[in-house]
Amino acid sequence: MPSVQAGPLNHAIIRVARLHRMLAAQLLRRVGLHPSQELVMMQLWDRGPQRQTDLVRMLGSDTATMTRTIQRLEHAGFVRATTQSA
């Protein structure tokens, strides 16, 4: 059975992913970030200032989560939220 043969490989992939997530979280904590905040920071670094609605769309987030993330990043001094004038 192919699924039985793939079991060890699947287990190894899951283990590597879990270890990667743990290491990434540890490294992010050293600079004051939490997992997923680095994705917002990378997007801003690559593209410059962005509207929250654009970040939501590009990162597959939802509005409430992005609002909290931006507020936390702003509170920590990583970003500065601005209002856009019409």
Side-chain angles (χ1 to χ4, degrees):
M1 299 194 110
S3 61
V4 172
Q5 294 169 345
L9 180 59
N10 290 340
H11 178 71
I13 291 170
I14 291 167
R15 183 164 168 74
V16 167
R18 187 175 296 132
L19 290 171
H20 176 268
R21 190 170 51 248
M22 288 171 41
L23 178 59
Q26 183 181 44
L27 293 171
L28 288 168
R29 273 193 303 275
R30 289 182 187 175
V31 296
L33 293 173
H34 298 279
S36 78
Q37 290 178 335
E38 83 280 11
L39 300 175
V40 174
M41 295 296 292
M42 290 187 319
Q43 188 70 28
L44 295 170
W45 180 267
D46 288 344
R47 296 180 183 253
Q50 301 281 308
R51 295 180 310 162
Q52 280 187 315
T53 55
D54 294 333
L55 289 168
V56 166
R57 183 178 40 78
M58 285 187 259
L59 297 173
S61 182
D62 61 76
T63 304
T65 299
M66 186 58 65
T67 298
R68 284 190 305 272
T69 298
I70 295 298
Q71 288 172 342
R72 289 174 181 151
L73 288 171
E74 187 175 23
H75 185 266
F78 288 107
V79 300
R80 184 181 69 229
T82 61
T83 57
Q84 294 196 1
S85 56

